[in-house]
Amino acid sequence: MTENSQAQPAANPELPTQYAPAEVEGKLYERWVERGYFEADEKSGKPPYTIVIPPPNVTGSLHLGHAFEHTIIDALTRRKRMQGYETLWQPGMDHAGIATQNVVERELAKEGKSRHDLGREAFAERVWQWKEESGGQISGQMRRLGDGVAWSRERFTMDDGLSAAVQTIFKRLFDDGLIYRAERIINWCPRCLTAISDIEVEYQDDDGELVSIKYGDGDETLVVATTRAETMLGDTAVAVHPDDERYAHLVGRRIKLPLTDRTIPVVADTHVDPEFGTGAVKVTPAHDPNDFEIGRRHDLPNVTVMDERAVITTPGPFQGLDRYEARSAIVAALRADGRIVAEKRPYVHSVGHCSRCKTTVEPRLSLQWWVKVETLAKEAGDAVRDGRVTIHPKEMESRYFAWIDNLNDWNISRQLWWGHRIPVWHGPNGETVCVGPNDEPPTGEGWHQDTDVLDTWFSSGLWPFSTLGWPEQTPSLEKFYPNSVLVTGYDILFFWVARMMMFGLYAMDGTPPFHTIALHGMVRDQFGKKMSKSFGNAVNPLDWMDKYGSDAVRFTLARGANPGVDVPIGEDWVQGSRNFANKVWNATRFAMMNGATVEGPLPDAERMSATDRWILSRLNETVAQVDALYEDYQFAKLSDALFHFAWDEVFDWYVELSKTTFFAGGEQAGVSGRVLGEVLDVTLRLLHPIVPFVTETLWTTLTGKESVVVADWPADSGFRDPAAEHEIEHLQQVVTEVRRFRADQGLQSGQKVPGRLDLAATPLAAHEAAIRQVLRLQAAGEGFHATATLPVAGATVELDLSGTIDVAAERKRLTKDRDAAEKEKQQAVAKLGNEAFLAKAPDNVVDKIRGRLSKAEADIERITAQLTALPES
């Protein structure tokens, strides 16, 4: 084990009798920040370890998903810091274009105003004002959780440096022909009045209607079905499959579009599924992404029938109606015209909604800015395929490739006023000039800047290098790029991770933004259900922190963190983690009061007892196990390993077994006190990355050193003692079996009974005092009467229970229980021996009966042993 300073502990370390998280957590965190433990120095000679925070929205507050992700990242960075790395956890926030604009617009609405009343510049100033006064509350909540971020490096996606990075990469992409402007179908929110990304669309099953409409007349009749009848005003074709013989005679001909004076062609396209519905589909290229592609293939016109607020613009009786009013009116008109073949209501189908305002999204043809992703996406796929970037867990690779290998061009423009404005100026004669951060924009009559802003994912896609000063070649960029690992949820593998991969490889000359992508799952409630305010199961982690302490919340989340798998969590689990923190506190306090020390070197193994050598052997095995699990991002397993080592092996076994040694005093007590001090020192350091607050208080008190944050990470010394481990495992068998018997007899765990031990046939003679201590066995004095004899693992334990239980009543109770088990066995044997029953019974029923038989036989064996142990009278 390694030393990290020469400071010595106080002679009589004192700790409060109870651990009170609220009294220590805030003070400890501020001390860590003041001492600069979390800052990163690009001039140091230490190897770098870099993680960027997935930037939370400036409008956000800490939810359990944040707490989960931050716990994982903080544990990784705290461990690497202790291992001697120059560790940077880069903090910052995202400007969250739509979300932030909506918040400020709601504030304006309370004043009876809209953004248009202020104008673009004044509105932007109002948003900045809101950001300074009300945004970013999540920073304070991160402190509550214990996030060890480099606060002096905090960035914001709209700050001057990041804005310059955005403008730089936009111009580079533009100049390389990778950014262009074109009309395409996008997701449009009629409430937010902007295009939105796929990730901002939430799909849910809604009750709608499916109407089947007859197009054409006589032999030129086709029936199409739609849930959006209002879009038929924009139909420019009907499509059928080229191999569908039912409609072969109509392909190439024109048919009448109902309710209009237009005729539209029938086209053959392989996109159509002839087995679905009637095998004919209406084609509305301006209002459906699949129809748009059909339209491109067949050179169909794009007829837009709705404006940006989803109001019908087509001249005629439906003009001015919103989409839902128009839907009802058009269906009524079609019905009156005899065009409705069938109607189905309600018709449940998946409908996209804006994640911000919950308005139904409208597919809409719109002039937008796009990134041409073909070459960028190929590079991002190759970086994983050739091993430059590792995705963990590996099974997530297929999902990444399925997305990145089939990526469509990326719509990067948004019709908002808050965000990075497109750095393009349009001239009076159709000129287009892209302006870099050091360029002067064109001036003069008729020149104006593009009104759109960039998708939020555009700026957050630069996060791993823009936060380090790019496009300037800064010392931070040289030291800390590429990032060591990205920790994020699998739900944004496509939307954020893919963007960072493409931009990092493009901007940084083929160097990917991180070595490893470690994906985690989503936090769910204890029943596995998604947490949501609408479900009534959402949890504010601050409430749990107030009630149980931040360590309890962190440990609970870490114990559920299996790579790429969703994490169920309930309050009772947090209570259990609070109990663990209390156990660590109480046991460490007891140990320090009874001789545990870190003073001086560890005694030679020859001076140690078998118990001492056993716990040191188990300690080193745990260090090795935890290290391996960290490298594999197996937080659930490493947390569980630490839990069981600390609670079971250190506190429940080693401390208990050593009490007799401590109480006896003398040289051996000093040896065991130094061993216990070593074990506590290392255990607290192993626990620190996950439960930083309680371990900081205990470790500094135990060692008298500055802080566990900057202590050395424990190293496996290589010490193993299989013989000692075998000896103590033998002892544990004896103790466990006797404890089980005591419990079966209804004895309280602390209740003392007279007992006699015969350990001659075992290697446990030296442990008799310790065994008596943990089993609460008094000496077998005069009048001792062995009412129970237990042969256990080669030892014999005799107990005098005459003064503690009613032997006759106990024998009667056990006999009754055994008779019931015998009856259960007979019934199971009879059924399993019945060939007719076995021939008819389902496999699960037969298996259930076999299980009952197995349990009955085990019960009979157990109860018989208990009866044998009781005296005859």
Side-chain angles (χ1 to χ4, degrees), residues 99-113:
T100 307
Q101 179 158 316
N102 282 347
V103 168
V104 178
E105 286 197 270
R106 284 196 294 269
E107 293 295 316
L108 286 174
K110 295 176 184 177
E111 304 170 13
K113 298 178 182 178

Side-chain angles (χ1 to χ4, degrees), residues 792-820:
V792 183
T796 301
V797 182
E798 296 177 318
L799 304 176
D800 184 351
L801 306 179
S802 57
T804 57
I805 63 171
D806 184 332
V807 175
E810 184 64 16
R811 177 172 290 281
K812 183 177 180 182
R813 181 185 71 81
L814 290 172
T815 301
K816 183 179 179 180
D817 289 348
R818 186 171 63 178
D819 290 344

Side-chain angles (χ1 to χ4, degrees), residues 209-371:
E209 60 181 356
L210 181 68
V211 294
S212 297
I213 308 168
K214 181 173 67 174
Y215 282 35
D217 294 296
D219 292 338
E220 297 180 349
T221 298
L222 285 167
V223 175
V224 301
T226 181
T227 59
R228 302 166 67 221
E230 68 278 9
T231 64
M232 67 159 291
L233 299 175
D235 287 357
T236 57
V238 173
V240 297
H241 194 276
D243 298 333
D244 194 334
E245 295 181 357
R246 293 172 295 176
Y247 306 118
H249 66 290
L250 292 177
V251 174
R253 301 175 69 175
R254 301 183 73 86
I255 60 175
K256 181 77 163 49
L257 177 64
L259 304 183
T260 74
D261 57 2
R262 292 194 289 124
T263 62
I264 57 177
V266 177
V267 299
D269 196 280
T270 54
H271 170 76
V272 180
D273 181 0
E275 302 299 323
F276 183 76
T278 64
V281 297
K282 60 193 288 297
V283 181
T284 320
H287 294 278
D288 183 274
N290 293 320
D291 292 3
F292 177 77
E293 294 302 325
I294 293 176
R296 292 179 68 181
R297 288 193 289 271
H298 298 276
D299 199 24
L300 299 174
N302 300 314
V303 178
T304 300
V305 299
M306 281 181 270
D307 67 11
E308 60 185 9
R309 297 184 185 274
V311 172
I312 300 298
T313 58
T314 303
F318 311 111
Q319 187 174 16
L321 300 179
D322 76 23
R323 52 185 167 169
Y324 300 118
E325 294 170 334
R327 183 177 300 172
S328 298
I330 288 171
V331 170
L334 289 167
R335 190 183 299 112
D337 199 28
R339 293 284 172 179
I340 299 296
V341 176
E343 298 179 66
K344 183 176 182 180
R345 295 187 186 87
Y347 178 74
V348 179
H349 61 133
S350 181
V351 178
H353 295 260
C354 174
S355 63
R356 305 300 177 189
C357 67
K358 310 308 176 187
T359 301
T360 299
V361 169
E362 190 67 37
R364 184 170 188 259
L365 185 64
S366 180
L367 182 63
Q368 301 281 342
W369 288 95
W370 304 83
V371 172

